[in-house]
Amino acid sequence: MRILVAAKAVIDIELNVRISNGLISEDDLQYVLNPWDEIAIEAAIRMKEKYGAEITIVSVGGENSVTALRKGLAMGADHAVHIEAPHTTVGEYNLIVTLLKKFIEQKESEFDLVLAGKQSQDTDNGIVGAVLAEKTCLPFVTNTTNISLIDEKQIAVTRIGDEGIEEYEVDLPALVTVSDSMNSPRHLSVKNILKAQRMEIKTYNSDLLNLDQNNPNEVSPKINVIEYAIPSSKRLTRKFEGDPEEITIKAVELLVKETNVI
């Protein structure tokens, strides 16, 4: 079984992100593997351990994509592919989907299962997986919590639906995106981290993938970021002390007169 996992490098939100002139300041930014994609890689590795599989991780983007790929290799993936797209903007999915589609459709890139996180930490859009499934005509299930192999031609998938847990049998090849409740990714050993640093990352660019730069359907952005802004923080707090009955009356008066909640 051959599994492809699409992974993305995102800004580490544990650090302070600064806005300058409507743009995210690149100074001192660090990138990490998107947490949902990390869960997808863990799901692939568990399938490898249980059923036997060959795992390839692919990431579209600039040099920061290598961060995501190295971590995936350290977790236990077999191969890593970097598709260079250094000018891809946050939130833009069309070029990313086009490049992933062209990579998947290569003869040497025949996969039984394509996995990805259901969304990315930086945009929370959840667009890439769905559009990629549409463009590649693959059966698609999202928000999954479990994947098991029925046989060489089918998988069983459990997902969180609007009205409860849903179960499906899906023909392969297929594309599945995972929920953040699917698993807890493994901790990395120093040995595997060092091993991943020595492993090859195969690089593709738009020319190798035969991207038609004159075709707006392939390269034109569908989403343009106009501006980033820090949310306004003008919340006022009131602290009441004293008799509980008097506090309740004051609080209700405040809700009626100043906030119009009641």
Side-chain angles (χ1 to χ4, degrees), residues 14-260:
E14 297 298 324
L15 304 176
N16 290 327
V17 178
R18 297 192 299 274
I19 305 298
S20 176
N21 298 320
L23 299 174
I24 296 175
S25 174
E26 293 288 331
D27 295 339
D28 301 322
L29 281 184
Q30 292 185 21
Y31 287 79
V32 296
L33 172 61
N34 176 43
W36 278 270
D37 297 336
E38 185 175 354
I39 291 168
I41 295 170
E42 177 67 28
I45 294 169
R46 293 187 185 189
M47 293 185 72
K48 173 183 176 179
E49 293 170 343
K50 189 172 183 178
Y51 308 112
E54 183 179 359
I55 302 171
T56 299
I57 314 169
V58 59
S59 184
V60 179
E63 293 182 2
N64 296 315
S65 295
V66 175
T67 300
L69 295 171
R70 292 290 181 201
K71 184 164 187 179
L73 290 171
M75 291 174 67
D78 302 292
H79 311 288
V81 174
H82 178 204
I83 301 177
E84 294 179 332
H87 303 300
T88 304
T89 58
V90 174
E92 167 49 30
Y93 67 89
N94 188 48
L95 178 59
I96 292 173
V97 169
T98 298
L99 291 170
L100 287 173
K101 174 179 179 289
K102 288 183 175 293
F103 175 72
I104 290 171
E105 290 177 343
Q106 294 184 105
K107 287 185 178 180
E108 64 269 26
S109 304
E110 294 179 354
F111 298 97
D112 303 295
L113 179 63
V114 180
L115 296 178
K118 72 167 185 175
Q119 62 196 74
S120 61
Q121 182 175 266
D122 50 1
T123 64
D124 285 339
N125 284 336
I127 294 176
V128 170
V131 178
L132 181 60
E134 173 69 19
K135 296 289 187 182
T136 53
C137 299
L138 291 174
F140 175 59
V141 184
T142 188
N143 207 25
T144 59
T145 56
N146 188 63
I147 305 171
S148 59
L149 188 66
I150 298 175
D151 54 39
E152 293 181 355
K153 296 182 178 180
Q154 278 191 322
I155 55 173
V157 176
T158 303
R159 72 178 298 271
I160 302 173
D162 293 336
E163 298 180 1
I165 302 300
E166 302 171 358
E167 297 181 353
Y168 296 92
E169 292 183 354
V170 185
D171 292 337
L172 297 175
L175 194 155
V176 175
T177 61
V178 305
S179 164
D180 56 356
S181 60
M182 173 174 269
N183 59 52
S184 296
R186 63 196 60 200
H187 295 289
L188 303 181
S189 67
V190 174
K191 177 182 177 181
N192 287 341
I193 293 173
L194 294 176
K195 178 182 176 182
Q197 295 301 317
R198 298 190 298 269
M199 294 178 71
E200 178 188 7
I201 294 179
K202 193 171 183 178
T203 302
Y204 287 82
N205 56 34
S206 57
D207 292 335
L208 287 174
L209 293 174
N210 297 317
L211 183 70
D212 185 356
Q213 299 286 357
N214 296 317
N215 185 349
N217 291 326
E218 292 191 354
V219 299
S220 295
K222 303 298 182 183
I223 295 176
N224 289 307
V225 177
I226 299 173
E227 183 182 15
Y228 291 100
I230 298 175
S232 175
S233 56
K234 295 183 179 180
R235 290 185 178 181
L236 299 177
T237 59
R238 299 283 182 88
K239 183 178 181 181
F240 296 100
E241 296 180 344
D243 180 74
E245 186 174 341
E246 294 178 357
I247 291 174
T248 302
I249 295 172
K250 290 180 180 179
V252 171
E253 289 178 350
L254 177 65
L255 292 172
V256 171
K257 295 179 180 179
E258 296 190 24
T259 65
N260 298 319

